[in-house]
Amino acid sequence: MVDYHAANQAYQYGPSSGGNGAGGGGGMGDYMAQEDDWDRDLLLDPAWEKQQRKTFTAWCNSHLRKAGTQIENIDEDFRDGLKLMLLLEVISGERLPKPERGKMRVHKINNVNKALDFIASKGVKLVSIGAEEIVDGNAKMTLGMIWTIILRFAIQDISVEETSAKEGLLLWCQRKTAPYKNVNVQNFHISWKDGLAFNALIHRHRPELIEYDKLRKDDPVTNLNNAFEVAEKYLDIPKMLDAEDIVNTARPDEKAIMTYVSSFYHAFSGAQKAETAANRICKVLAVNQENEHLMEDYERLASDLLEWIRRTIPWLEDRVPQKTIQEMQQKLEDFRDYRRVHKPPKVQEKCQLEINFNTLQTKLRLSNRPAFMPSEGRMVSDINNGWQHLEQAEKGYEEWLLNEIRRLERLDHLAEKFRQKASIHEAWTDGKEAMLKQRDYETATLSDIKALIRKHEAFESDLAAHQDRVEQIAAIAQELNELDYYDSHNVNTRCQKICDQWDALGSLTHSRREALEKTEKQLETIDQLHLEYAKRAAPFNNWMESAMEDLQDMFIVHTIEEIEGLISAHDQFKSTLPDADREREAILAIHKEAQRIAESNHIKLSGSNPYTTVTPQIINSKWEKVQQLVPKRDHALLEEQSKQQSNEHLRRQFASQANVVGPWIQTKMEEIGRISIEMNGTLEDQLSHLKQYERSIVDYKPNLDLLEQQHQLIQEALIFDNKHTNYTMEHIRVGWEQLLTTIARTINEVENQILTRDAKGISQEQMQEFRASFNHFDKDHGGALGPEEFKACLISLGYDVENDRQGDAEFNRIMSVVDPNHSGLVTFQAFIDFMSRETTDTDTADQVIASFKVLAGDKNFITAEELRRELPPDQAEYCIARMAPYQGPDAAPGALDYKSFSTALYGESDL
C-alpha cells in the first residue's frame, strides 16, 4: 500500500516557483499542461466519461475505505466537501481544517474551498475548477478535480531514469513488460486493450498468480478479467474498469488507464524496494561468503602444511645411527627423495599460502571488512616459525648421514683388519702352548738340550716379534669400541682370548726357559752353522710374513694425494726387494754350507735344523708368495688411483656447474630487488614483465637438475669435500627456493596493487605518481618508509602535516591508519590503501541495515520466512544460521536481529 504521508513529505516544490518534480525535468508544468482539455472540451466523450467515473470512483473508494466509508456517485457524494476533505486527509496523511457541519450551500462551498485550498497548497494549479461547480454536481469539473488529485498524489512522484509523472510511469511499464511476447506498451490507451500488458505486470512481480503462457492475444475479455480479478483478490487493487469498457471502446480513456496502472505501480513499489534491498544484501553476502570460503581454504591449507612440518621435523631430528652402511645409505636416499620430491611442493604451498593470505586481506580491505585473523597456531608467522624449525632440523642432517656412513665404513675396515690380524696371530699361536709344555729336555742329550735352548731363544725372538701384532689387535679393538661398533662384544671376546693366550704363552715361555737354562750348564754341543742359519732365517722369515701381511693389508683413501702416498710407499718397498733377495741367498748359502761340511766330514745330520723350524723350503715358499703378492698390490693401488682420479673429475665437474649456477641465482636476486624498486609503465606492463622474468627463471631449472644429478654421483662415490668450489648443493637449493619465492611475492604485490587500483578507482597516472613518490623517499630501497620519510612523502603530495600542533595531530591520525600495529614502517600497499580509502564508495553497515529494514517491512527484526521469500536459498540460509534472536520489546516469535548481523559483517560493534 502506498504511504501517502511519506509521499507528501517528499513533495517540496510548487508550480509558481518553476520547480521540478521528483524526477526533475517536467514536473507539474508537464502534466498540468494537458488539463487545458477540461477548458476546451465542453463535453466529455460518453465512453471516456463512463470509464473515468468507474475508475475514479474505485480509486477514491480504495482510500476512503481506510476511513471506514465510500462513495456511490462521484458527482453527488463530494458536493458537501466532507468526503472530499476526508479523502485528502487519507491520501496525504495530514490534517485539514475542521469542516463545517451545516447543511446550507455556504457551508458546502466553504468545505470544498478548504479541500481546493489544500490541493493548491501542494503546488497544484486548479484550472477553471471552482467550489461552486463541485457543489452544483458538475460532472466535468468533479472528474477534472479528482484527476488532478490522482496526478498529484498517485502519479506525480513516479520517477524512472530522470523522467517523471506520465513518462516515468510509461517507462516503468515498458521495462517490466519487455520480456513478454505480444506485449508492446507505447501509450496508456491502445496498448492495454488486449489485457496482456496487465497480466504481464502481475506475472513479472508475482509469477505464481498468473499462468501467462496460457493467455491468448485474441481473447482480450478473458485476459482483462483475469488480470482485474487477480489484482483485486491478491494485490488489494479494486476493480476500476470492466473488460467490456476497454474492449468495446476504439481508444480507451487514457486517464482511466493511467489511474488503474498507477495502482499497479504503487502495489509493486514495495516489491521494487525489496528487490533493490535484496540485491544489495545478496551482493554483500556474496562478498562475505567468498571471503569465508577463502578463509576456510587458508585454514585447511595452513593446517595441512603445519601437520606435514610436524610429521617431518621428528624424522629430521632422529639422529639414531644404523648398524650397517646399507641402512645408512637408505636413510641418505630417503633424505634425497625428501629434498627432490617431497619438499619442493611444500615450498610452493607455503609461498602460495602467503600469496592467498595477502590477497584475502586486500579483498577484505577493499570490501570494508575487518582483517582476517587465522585461528590460533595458523598465523603466517606460525607457519614461518614452523618452517624455520623444519630447516633448523634439516640443517646438518645430510652432513650427519655422510659422517655416519664414513664412520661405518671406517668401522667395517677396522673390523676386517682386526679379523685378518687376529686370524694370522691365531694361526701362529696354534700348537705353541703344547710345544712349550713339552718335557723333552728331561731325556735329551746335551747337544739336544743346547739345541732346545737355542731353539727356545729363536722362539722368544719370534714371540717378541709378534708382540707388536698383539698390541695392534688390541688397539684396533679399542678403536672399534670407541667408535661404537655394533659387534663390539664379539670383537672384545676374541681380543680378550688372544690377550689371555698371549699372557699364557709368555708365562709358559718363561717357565720353559728356566727349565732349559737350569739344564744348559750340563749341555755344550751346538752346531754354530745351524744356529747362525736359525738366527738369520727367523727375522727374515718374520720380515717376509710382515711383507705378505702388508701386501694384503686393506686400505681406504678419499683423495688422489692419499693413494699416491700409498703408491710411493709401495714403490719404496719394491726397491728393497733386491737386498732381501740377497739376504735370502745368503741364508740358503749357510744351509748349503752346513750340508757341504757335513758331507765333506762324513757327518750324519738328523735331517732338520735343530735350532729352527724355518726350512729353506719355507723360505723359498714365502719368498715366492711375496713375489706373487707384489703385482697384485700394484694392481689394487692402480685401481684405487683410477677411482680417485674419477672422483676428482666428479669434483671438478660439479664445481664447474655450481660456480655458474650460484652466481646466477645471486645476480637474479639482486635484479629482482632492483625491479621491485624501479617499476616503470602500467601495472599490467609491470606484471607482464615480472611474469616473463619468472618464466626465464623457471626455464633455468634444468641447470639445477643437472647439478642435482652431478651431486648425486658425488654422494654415491662417497666424496665428502670439494676444494674447487665454495658452493654446496644445500646453498644452491636454498638460494633457488628463495629466488622462486621472491619473484612470486613481487608478482603478488603488483597483482594486489591492480586489485586495489581497480577497486578504489585509482587511475594509472595516480598509481605511477604514488609509486614515484614512495620510491623517492624509500632511500634504502627496503620497500617501506619510516615515519619521517612518510611525512616527507605526504608533504610532497600536498598534505598539511608540518611540525605544528594541528599538523602533528593529522600526521598521528594518518599513521594510526597506515601502521595500526605501530611497527614504525609504512608499506607501499598500506600507502595506496590510505591514498584511496577516504574517497571510495563502498557498502557500509548502515546501508545493509537499511536494506534489511525494507525486506522486513520497516520492522526492527526480520523472520526466517521473510528471508527465504526475499533472498536466494543459499544466502537466506546463510543469514538464518548466523542471525541472533531479536531481543527488543517489540519482538515476535522467531524474530531475528538483522542489525547486529549487519554490523558484524563489517567488524563493527552493535551500538
Side-chain angles (χ1 to χ4, degrees), residues 349-407:
E349 286 180 19
K350 175 177 177 291
C351 179
Q352 190 61 47
L353 196 63
E354 293 177 4
I355 290 174
N356 290 352
F357 181 85
N358 293 335
T359 301
L360 172 60
Q361 298 293 36
T362 299
K363 288 187 175 182
L364 290 172
R365 285 198 304 274
L366 296 179
S367 58
N368 203 21
R369 301 304 197 273
F372 169 53
M373 181 62 66
S375 57
E376 185 176 358
R378 293 184 177 89
M379 297 283 289
V380 172
S381 59
D382 295 320
I383 294 172
N384 288 333
N385 290 337
W387 194 264
Q388 289 177 2
H389 191 183
L390 174 77
E391 293 188 331
Q392 289 172 357
E394 182 181 316
K395 186 177 181 181
Y397 185 73
E398 187 175 24
E399 182 181 355
W400 172 77
L401 288 172
L402 294 173
N403 287 337
E404 277 301 310
I405 291 173
R406 184 183 295 180
R407 184 182 70 84

Side-chain angles (χ1 to χ4, degrees), residues 558-676:
H558 297 96
T559 66
I560 191 71
E561 290 78 13
E562 291 177 355
I563 188 60
E564 287 176 350
L566 289 179
I567 292 173
S568 176
H570 182 60
D571 290 341
Q572 186 175 1
F573 166 75
K574 289 193 293 183
S575 69
T576 66
L577 289 178
D579 290 338
D581 191 35
R582 285 190 287 274
E583 176 67 7
R584 180 183 67 85
E585 293 292 345
I587 293 171
L588 293 178
I590 293 172
H591 177 74
K592 290 179 181 178
E593 180 64 17
Q595 287 183 327
R596 187 190 66 76
I597 293 172
E599 290 174 1
S600 63
N601 294 285
H602 306 286
I603 298 173
K604 187 176 182 180
L605 299 176
S606 60
S608 61
N609 192 323
Y611 306 120
T612 182
T613 59
V614 181
T615 65
Q617 291 78 14
I618 290 175
I619 289 175
N620 285 330
S621 174
K622 289 184 178 180
W623 178 255
E624 184 179 351
K625 181 68 172 177
V626 169
Q627 295 297 310
Q628 293 171 353
L629 289 175
V630 167
K632 289 184 179 179
R633 184 71 166 185
D634 287 334
H635 180 70
L637 290 172
L638 288 174
E639 276 191 343
E640 184 62 29
Q641 185 182 37
S642 175
K643 174 185 173 183
Q644 290 304 322
Q645 287 172 343
S646 174
N647 288 353
E648 183 67 9
H649 172 71
L650 291 176
R651 288 188 183 95
R652 292 181 182 276
Q653 179 178 265
F654 175 84
S656 175
Q657 181 74 358
N659 288 336
V660 173
V661 173
W664 183 89
I665 291 175
Q666 185 175 354
T667 300
K668 292 301 177 185
M669 286 293 291
E670 294 170 354
E671 289 178 0
I672 292 173
R674 289 197 299 272
I675 289 172
S676 64

Side-chain angles (χ1 to χ4, degrees), residues 499-554:
C499 290
D500 291 345
Q501 186 186 41
W502 184 255
D503 291 338
L505 286 176
S507 178
L508 290 172
T509 298
H510 180 70
S511 298
R512 182 171 177 81
R513 183 174 183 81
E514 285 183 343
L516 291 173
E517 286 178 349
K518 185 178 180 180
T519 318
E520 183 185 14
K521 295 178 182 180
Q522 303 170 359
L523 305 173
E524 296 177 349
T525 308
I526 187 168
D527 188 342
Q528 292 297 327
L529 198 56
H530 279 180
L531 180 58
E532 183 181 0
Y533 172 90
K535 288 183 177 181
R536 292 181 68 172
F540 185 72
N541 182 61
N542 286 335
W543 176 86
M544 286 193 296
E545 287 182 347
S546 296
M548 287 189 292
E549 184 176 349
D550 290 341
L551 289 170
Q552 298 178 83
D553 192 17
M554 297 176 64

Side-chain angles (χ1 to χ4, degrees), residues 418 469-481 495 499:
F418 173 85
R469 180 179 289 115
V470 174
E471 291 175 353
Q472 288 179 11
I473 290 171
I476 294 172
Q478 179 62 29
E479 188 172 359
L480 287 171
N481 280 310
C495 181
C499 290

Side-chain angles (χ1 to χ4, degrees), residues 224-288:
L224 290 165
N225 282 331
N226 180 67
F228 296 163
E229 289 168 5
V230 168
E232 187 171 39
K233 182 175 181 180
Y234 296 104
L235 304 178
D236 200 26
I237 299 174
K239 187 175 182 182
M240 298 183 182
L241 288 171
D242 292 325
E244 291 75 14
D245 293 338
I246 298 175
V247 173
N248 296 331
T249 304
R251 184 176 184 271
D253 179 61
E254 187 175 54
K255 296 177 178 59
I257 297 295
M258 279 182 69
T259 302
Y260 213 156
V261 171
S262 71
S263 297
F264 281 84
Y265 174 86
H266 291 295
F268 293 132
S269 64
Q272 190 76 12
K273 293 177 183 177
E275 182 180 347
T276 301
N279 287 339
R280 178 180 289 276
I281 291 169
C282 287
K283 174 186 171 186
V284 172
L285 294 179
V287 170
N288 229 53

Side-chain angles (χ1 to χ4, degrees), residues 190 645 878 896:
I190 300 301
Q645 287 172 343
Y878 177 85
L896 299 174

Side-chain angles (χ1 to χ4, degrees), residues 241-351:
L241 288 171
D242 292 325
E244 291 75 14
D245 293 338
I246 298 175
V247 173
N248 296 331
T249 304
R251 184 176 184 271
D253 179 61
E254 187 175 54
K255 296 177 178 59
I257 297 295
M258 279 182 69
T259 302
Y260 213 156
V261 171
S262 71
S263 297
F264 281 84
Y265 174 86
H266 291 295
F268 293 132
S269 64
Q272 190 76 12
K273 293 177 183 177
E275 182 180 347
T276 301
N279 287 339
R280 178 180 289 276
I281 291 169
C282 287
K283 174 186 171 186
V284 172
L285 294 179
V287 170
N288 229 53
Q289 287 173 309
E290 180 187 1
N291 290 339
E292 286 188 1
H293 178 68
L294 291 174
M295 294 175 191
E296 291 168 0
D297 281 350
Y298 173 87
E299 292 281 345
R300 176 177 53 77
L301 291 173
S303 297
D304 292 346
L305 184 57
L306 287 169
E307 174 60 21
W308 178 81
I309 292 173
R310 185 192 64 77
R311 293 196 313 269
T312 305
I313 287 175
W315 175 68
L316 292 171
E317 290 179 339
D318 178 16
R319 305 294 170 92
V320 177
Q322 302 299 313
K323 292 181 178 180
T324 67
I325 291 180
Q326 292 74 22
E327 290 173 319
M328 290 304 295
Q329 285 177 332
Q330 183 58 50
K331 287 178 75 71
L332 180 60
E333 187 60 33
D334 292 342
F335 181 72
R336 288 178 186 143
D337 285 342
Y338 159 77
R339 288 310 308 263
R340 290 194 307 262
V341 179
H342 301 296
K343 187 182 178 186
K346 298 302 178 183
V347 173
Q348 295 176 3
E349 286 180 19
K350 175 177 177 291
C351 179

